[in-house]
Amino acid sequence: MSTLIYNCTAVLMDEAHTVLPGACVTVEGRKISSVGTARPDGSFDETVDAGGGILMPGLVNAHTHIPMTLMRGYGDGHALQEWLNDYIFPVEAKLDDRAVRAGSDLALCELIASGVTTIADMYMFCDTIAQEVVASGINANIARGTTLFTDNFDFKTYPACVELRELVDRWHGYQDGQILIDACIHGEYTSRPALWEALAQYAADRKLGMHIHVSETKTEHEECKGRWGATPIQTLDRYGVWDVRAIAAHCVWTTPEDWALMAEKGVSAVHNPASNLKLGSGVAPVVEMRQAGVNVCLGTDGVSSNNSHDLFEDMKLAALLQAGTRCDPLALSAWDALEMATVDGARALGRNTGRIEAGRDADLILLDASAPNLIPCHNAASNLVYAAHGSNVTMNMARGQVIYKNGEFFTIDLERVKREVAEYALPRLFG
Ligand SMILES: [Zn+2]
């Protein structure tokens, strides 16, 4: 399968910050094969007239929990502990495979339509999530959120660890890396050292990544220091947790010592600005982490605490928050925010995407530059971060396959998903 995309302005996300008007991009199979301004010779299975739109790499949403889309707006207006204990946990206890499938599909529709081609997901029912992601056509790092509240632990028999090993055997590297399985500690505050040690060892042995919630709230961060005499980043380091490629979601309360350690170990921070604001968790020190050499990428977090999967919103928030809280409009540029949502996310997830260049995965999205909110365009990066919405996305190509175009989904039956959510999942969870 070969495709030629022409008549677009391509934002390459390369180190030279290239914005290429009149671009022609070709795709062979799952890879980008050429980028330039001259229309290449030869014939293509498919040609896409981009209509003068903006072509950019597909977005990387590096931290979410897709089935939680079913809980959009549920329990809003309550403090974190009350929200979790009285609303989210009782609903999660009613989830079953079919409801997770419906919630995941709903999330995937929203993600695809707003330009995401790769996610890092942390949840339960991961086999079902992997099946739905594969069918949707996008890429995912999937992590089985694992907690441990007892000292009685055996990695061989602990159910979540059994599930992890089955997931790795069945899915890790599936279809040339469409699915990667990451090891996962839900958080320092929801687990014990025996789990950290065992998962760190297993991840190192199997060359898996690691996905963890870290220092999201001040309480969590301070209580960890009280328990272990060190911050979550430093505590987990004692057990080898950061010795593999790792993503640490939130990092709102991390310290300069944490950043030095993260930079040394190559731990990526995932910034989730909308979720952090909505739950009153604070504003992550994105500028300081980047200055310390930490790779910082971007996520929406679950829709239950966002309440949207539109990563364009989080890009804008990321840039505005750093500028506003520092009284410095240049603190985090539009290009910086775009990098976080593309190439930095790709690095965090161990993936060859996030940039338009020959040899990279053909994960590409097109935005309608003729939309009123994108006129005029003095600077494409600025328009993408400060003016664009996910709804400006007109095409989503993941792994070389067009999976969405002009409101139409080619891999998911949206009407069936809506029916399944309305007639099965919502009645099951909410009565
Ligand atoms: Zn989360």
Side-chain angles (χ1 to χ4, degrees):
M1 178 75 186
S2 61
T3 307
L4 166 68
I5 304 169
Y6 67 100
N7 188 19
C8 58
T9 296
V11 179
L12 304 187
M13 297 314 303
D14 59 353
E15 277 167 19
H17 297 197
T18 306
V19 175
L20 198 64
C24 293
V25 175
T26 60
V27 171
E28 284 285 335
R30 291 173 184 157
K31 303 282 182 196
I32 296 168
S33 48
S34 73
V35 183
T37 50
R39 190 176 166 131
D41 295 332
S43 60
F44 297 89
D45 297 322
E46 199 172 332
T47 54
V48 177
D49 179 351
I54 299 174
L55 188 74
M56 67 174 290
L59 303 181
V60 178
N61 185 341
H63 180 68
T64 184
H65 314 277
I66 59 173
M68 294 186 86
T69 304
L70 295 170
M71 297 156 219
R72 191 193 316 267
Y74 183 64
D76 276 6
H78 294 277
L80 181 65
Q81 283 312 316
E82 197 183 339
W83 174 71
L84 282 174
N85 292 324
D86 299 348
Y87 293 88
I88 298 302
F89 293 156
V91 167
E92 284 187 330
K94 296 182 201 164
L95 281 170
D96 68 355
D97 217 53
R98 187 171 163 189
V100 165
R101 202 175 294 279
S104 299
D105 288 347
L106 181 65
L108 288 162
C109 287
E110 187 183 4
L111 287 158
I112 288 167
S114 58
V116 169
T117 51
T118 304
I119 61 171
D121 197 79
M122 180 202 289
Y123 211 60
M124 307 162 284
F125 299 91
C126 294
D127 190 75
T128 303
I129 294 171
Q131 289 174 36
E132 298 314 285
V133 168
V134 164
S136 80
I138 70 166
N139 307 286
N141 287 39
I142 293 176
R144 180 19 168 126
T146 307
T147 57
L148 176 69
F149 298 100
T150 163
D151 284 327
N152 183 14
F153 169 77
D154 180 355
F155 181 71
K156 288 198 183 68
T157 55
Y158 194 65
C161 296
V162 173
E163 199 179 319
L164 168 65
R165 294 198 301 276
E166 288 170 358
L167 286 166
V168 170
D169 290 344
R170 180 161 185 202
W171 292 109
H172 187 56
Y174 186 81
Q175 288 203 136
D176 201 18
Q178 181 178 10
I179 301 291
L180 298 177
I181 301 297
D182 289 343
C184 175
I185 297 161
H186 173 270
E188 172 279 329
Y189 63 109
T190 51
S191 56
R192 307 279 303 157
L195 181 71
W196 310 338
E197 214 160 16
L199 284 179
Q201 187 63 54
Y202 180 69
D205 289 347
R206 299 300 304 259
K207 299 191 167 36
L208 308 180
M210 182 70 80
H211 190 164
I212 314 183
H213 289 115
V214 171
S215 297
E216 177 177 3
T217 66
K218 189 172 186 182
T219 307
E220 168 205 333
H221 185 80
E222 293 300 324
E223 286 181 356
C224 176
K225 283 165 47 186
R227 265 191 298 273
W228 306 107
T231 65
I233 287 282
Q234 292 160 39
T235 300
L236 292 166
D237 183 55
R238 294 172 185 165
Y239 298 88
V241 166
W242 308 127
D243 292 348
V244 296
R245 177 188 56 72
I247 50 177
H250 304 301
C251 297
V252 176
W253 295 94
T254 49
T255 64
E257 293 75 26
D258 291 342
W259 311 330
L261 185 56
M262 292 168 77
E264 182 200 324
K265 295 275 184 172
V267 178
S268 296
V270 190
H271 182 40
N272 301 272
S275 174
N276 294 158
L277 288 173
K278 181 160 181 279
L279 295 177
S281 303
V283 178
V286 172
V287 170
E288 289 78 3
M289 287 195 282
R290 283 170 60 100
Q291 282 170 350
V294 179
N295 181 51
V296 186
C297 53
L298 205 59
T300 54
D301 206 354
V303 155
S304 53
S305 62
N306 185 302
N307 296 357
S308 157
H309 259 138
D310 184 349
L311 204 64
F312 282 93
E313 290 180 357
D314 287 276
M315 266 197 283
K316 180 171 182 173
L317 274 176
L320 296 186
L321 276 171
Q322 299 302 309
T325 53
R326 284 164 180 74
C327 300
D328 175 5
L330 307 179
L332 193 82
S333 70
W335 192 270
D336 293 338
L338 283 171
E339 282 182 342
M340 289 169 64
T342 55
V343 68
D344 294 344
R347 187 179 306 121
L349 272 51
R351 291 182 169 280
N352 184 31
T353 186
R355 191 171 271 175
I356 304 180
E357 76 184 356
R360 291 253 177 182
D361 291 349
D363 298 328
L364 299 165
I365 60 172
L366 188 64
L367 287 90
D368 175 13
S370 71
N373 64 308
L374 297 180
I375 298 173
C377 183
H378 297 294
N379 178 310
S382 165
N383 262 16
L384 287 172
V385 172
Y386 297 122
H389 309 302
S391 56
N392 293 130
V393 172
T394 55
M395 183 201 79
N396 185 322
M397 171 188 274
R399 301 166 58 76
Q401 181 193 4
V402 176
I403 58 173
Y404 172 83
K405 200 171 182 184
N406 299 325
E408 197 181 341
F409 295 88
F410 301 125
T411 54
I412 306 180
D413 180 347
L414 176 60
E415 293 311 314
R416 184 192 61 75
V417 172
K418 286 184 190 174
R419 275 198 309 277
E420 191 66 2
V421 167
E423 293 169 15
Y424 181 79
L426 296 183
R428 179 175 174 90
L429 300 189
F430 304 102

